[in-house]
């Protein structure tokens, strides 16, 4: 069950900071540093400070660094701890310095701190070399993959206005975004349309009418049917999926603390590989069907003044990108870690500063995402539920084909 609280100690902490915090041992303790959590924190902090403006680009950065770390470990599965720790730190460092060069000073300091803990010798030297080599190889293989910000937001000219067809939405009528995702190079998908779902409900069909009626009533800015708790849920999940899921993935990494280091780096890598491929598949479906958003449908056919609780993003309705992301995340975390956590975990949100929610599984995040986009007035429920299914399918494919990444 989800719980809500606004502790005073967190009131001054941003939601973004909450999503990247990694607990440190208490002063005076001798608990060994967990290199996976250490470099998870470094990656999250680096992207928070100097990441790309496009979500999928940041997922790509994570994927490259943590694939490189996993490959370096799997190439020498019997290597001693000094090799393993040096390989992970160096692989992630090399990736981040290349893709977020503005943070080079901080990244160099972090690598120096990690390597200073590791006994000098041939194992450490070999780990550094392996991590750097794998990062450089993957960076080279992903060059010009179409996931840089300019390519992600490649220009798209919508067709002439017609019933059911997406058009830029008020209040800003911004140009379409994320069109270029569908043209990008996936990590493991055979093609962007490999899992493309069937078309959205036909205009005027019973399902279409139910979807639109629900959004009209529950997603309006002045809704009399939406409760305060539902409004809170809509606001909490309005923020970036990347930011909102940074803490759940860290929790999953902690849950797997007793597993081999290569399994843990693989968890992080596959989470972000699936996220990238899911966003590619999402944009493919969105721009294949070009289904209009609820605000356009309602203002055109029902109520010219209808306004959603939250502003509508600048891309088509079907399917919901928030829900493809949540479906993908749930699939990876459930498969690799288990459906439930050993103890409750708490996350914050960039769109609800000071508010936290507590969970004990991954599925509830998906359930809330589905409802939230309807209550925000941003998506139809069908766009949400189809999105979850698409995300799960893409993630399951990534998990089945992980060997192609790691050899």
């Amino acid at each position: 069950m989800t719980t809500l609280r606004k502790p005073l100690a967190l009131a001054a902490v941003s939601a973004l900071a909450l999503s990247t915090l990694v607990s440190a041992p208490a002063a005076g303790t001798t608990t060994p540093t967990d290199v996976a959590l250490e470099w998870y924190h470094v990656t999250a902090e680096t992207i928070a400070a100097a990441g790309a403006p496009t979500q999928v680009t940041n997922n790509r950065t994570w994927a490259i660094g943590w694939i490189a770390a996993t490959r370096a470990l799997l190439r020498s599965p019997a290597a001693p701890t000094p090799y393993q720790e040096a390989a992970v730190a160096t692989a992630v460092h090399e990736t981040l310095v290349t893709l977020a060069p503005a943070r080079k000073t901080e990244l160099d300091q972090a690598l120096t701190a990690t390597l200073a803990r590791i006994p000098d010798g041939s194992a450490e030297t070999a780990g550094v070399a392996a991590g750097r080599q794998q990062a450089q190889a993957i960076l080279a293989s992903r060059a010009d993959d179409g996931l840089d910000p300019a390519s992600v937001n490649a220009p798209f000219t919508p067709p002439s206005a017609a019933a059911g067809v997406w058009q830029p939405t008020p209040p800003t009528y911004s140009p379409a975004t994320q069109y270029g995702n569908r043209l990008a190079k996936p990590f493991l998908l055979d093609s962007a349309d490999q899992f493309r779902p069937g078309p959205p409900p036909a205009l005027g069909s019973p399902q279409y009418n139910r979807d639109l009626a629900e959004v009209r009533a529950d997603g309006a800015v002045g809704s009399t049917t939406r409760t305060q708790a539902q409004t809170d849920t809509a606001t909490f999940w309005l923020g970036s999926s990347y930011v909102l899921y940074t803490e759940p993935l860290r929790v999953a990494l902690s849950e797997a603390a007793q597993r081999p280091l290569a399994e843990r780096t693989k968890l992080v890598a596959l989470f972000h590989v699936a996220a990238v491929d899911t966003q590619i598949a999402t944009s493919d479906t969105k721009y294949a069907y070009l289904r209009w958003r609820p605000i356009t449908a309602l203002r055109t056919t029902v109520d010219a003044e209808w306004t959603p609780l939250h502003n509508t993003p600048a891309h088509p309705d079907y399917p919901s990108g928030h829900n493809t992301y949540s479906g993908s995340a749930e699939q990876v975390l459930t498969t690799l870690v288990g459906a439930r956590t050993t103890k409750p975990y708490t996350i914050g949100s960039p769109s609800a500063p000071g508010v936290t929610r507590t969970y004990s599984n991954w599925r509830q995040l998906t359930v809330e995402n589905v409802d939230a986009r309807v209550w925000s007035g941003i998506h139809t429920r069908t766009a949400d539920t189809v999105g979850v299914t698409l995300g799960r399918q893409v993630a399951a494919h990534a998990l089945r084909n992980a060997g192609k990444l790691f050899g």
Side-chain angles (χ1 to χ4, degrees), residues 43-53 58 61 96 99-104 107:
T43 309
E45 188 177 60
T46 298
I47 290 177
N58 292 325
T61 297
L96 294 176
L99 299 178
R103 296 286 290 181
K104 185 178 187 305
L107 290 165

Side-chain angles (χ1 to χ4, degrees), residues 272-306:
H272 288 284
V273 163
V276 169
D277 281 6
T278 292
Q279 288 168 86
I280 290 172
T282 300
S283 289
D284 169 77
T285 304
K286 281 180 177 289
Y287 286 96
Y289 293 121
L290 286 173
R291 174 50 59 94
W292 60 5
R293 286 281 187 161
I295 187 171
T296 307
L298 289 167
R299 287 193 175 187
T300 300
T301 63
V302 179
D303 179 357
E305 301 299 320
W306 188 86

Side-chain angles (χ1 to χ4, degrees), residues 23-370:
S23 300
T29 67
T30 58
T31 303
T33 300
D34 182 331
V35 73
L37 284 175
E38 178 184 29
W39 281 87
Y40 188 93
H41 173 75
V42 171
T43 309
E45 188 177 60
T46 298
I47 290 177
T54 43
Q55 175 173 278
V56 71
T57 310
N58 292 325
N59 290 121
R60 171 188 184 267
T61 297
W62 278 90
I64 291 172
W66 290 74
I67 292 170
T70 304
R71 284 187 180 179
L73 295 177
L74 294 178
R75 294 298 187 275
S76 300
T81 298
Y83 170 94
Q84 294 186 32
E85 294 191 346
V88 170
T90 306
V92 178
H93 170 272
E94 184 76 11
T95 301
L96 294 176
V97 165
T98 303
L99 299 178
R103 296 286 290 181
K104 185 178 187 305
T105 298
E106 294 83 356
L107 290 165
D108 288 351
Q109 290 171 348
L111 181 61
T112 298
T114 299
L115 295 180
R117 293 196 316 267
I118 299 172
D120 293 337
S122 60
E124 179 192 38
T125 301
V128 168
R132 182 174 295 119
Q133 178 187 36
Q134 291 298 330
Q136 290 173 350
I138 299 169
L139 285 162
S141 74
R142 297 299 303 184
D144 301 319
D145 61 6
L147 290 168
D148 59 283
S151 297
V152 166
N153 287 326
F156 173 77
T157 301
S160 300
V165 177
W166 181 82
Q167 295 292 313
T169 52
T172 60
Y173 297 93
S174 299
T177 60
Q178 301 177 17
Y179 172 72
N181 278 355
R182 71 188 305 224
L183 308 175
K185 175 184 175 182
F187 278 94
L188 287 170
L189 281 176
D190 298 329
S191 62
D193 64 353
Q194 184 175 356
F195 294 101
R196 184 190 293 172
L203 301 184
S205 66
Q207 184 64 56
Y208 174 86
N209 290 337
R210 285 194 297 271
D211 280 344
L212 210 56
E214 180 184 26
V215 179
R216 183 187 184 191
D218 297 344
V221 65
S223 172
T224 58
T225 58
R226 186 183 59 245
T227 67
Q228 185 59 52
Q230 291 170 338
T231 300
D232 292 344
T233 296
T235 301
F236 188 90
W237 288 103
L238 185 65
S240 157
S241 292
Y242 163 75
V243 174
L244 284 158
Y245 274 91
T246 298
E247 180 61 14
L249 179 56
R250 188 202 66 80
V251 170
L253 188 62
S254 296
E255 290 273 312
Q258 301 307 312
R259 299 184 188 181
L261 184 57
E263 286 190 25
R264 301 177 72 214
T265 58
K266 186 184 293 185
L267 165 65
V268 178
L270 286 173
F271 182 96
H272 288 284
V273 163
V276 169
D277 281 6
T278 292
Q279 288 168 86
I280 290 172
T282 300
S283 289
D284 169 77
T285 304
K286 281 180 177 289
Y287 286 96
Y289 293 121
L290 286 173
R291 174 50 59 94
W292 60 5
R293 286 281 187 161
I295 187 171
T296 307
L298 289 167
R299 287 193 175 187
T300 300
T301 63
V302 179
D303 179 357
E305 301 299 320
W306 188 86
T307 300
L309 173 64
H310 296 125
N311 287 345
T312 301
H315 40 76
D317 177 61
Y318 180 87
S320 160
H322 263 56
N323 281 288
T324 60
Y325 200 106
S326 64
S328 173
E330 181 191 343
Q331 185 72 32
V332 172
L333 297 179
T334 299
T335 302
L336 298 183
V337 182
R340 302 186 65 83
T341 54
T342 56
K343 59 183 179 181
Y345 64 95
T346 298
I347 65 174
S349 166
S351 51
V355 177
T356 62
R357 289 189 168 214
T358 300
Y359 304 91
S360 57
N361 61 52
W362 318 117
R363 181 169 177 75
Q364 188 59 31
L365 310 181
T366 304
V367 171
E368 291 187 13
N369 259 296
V370 169

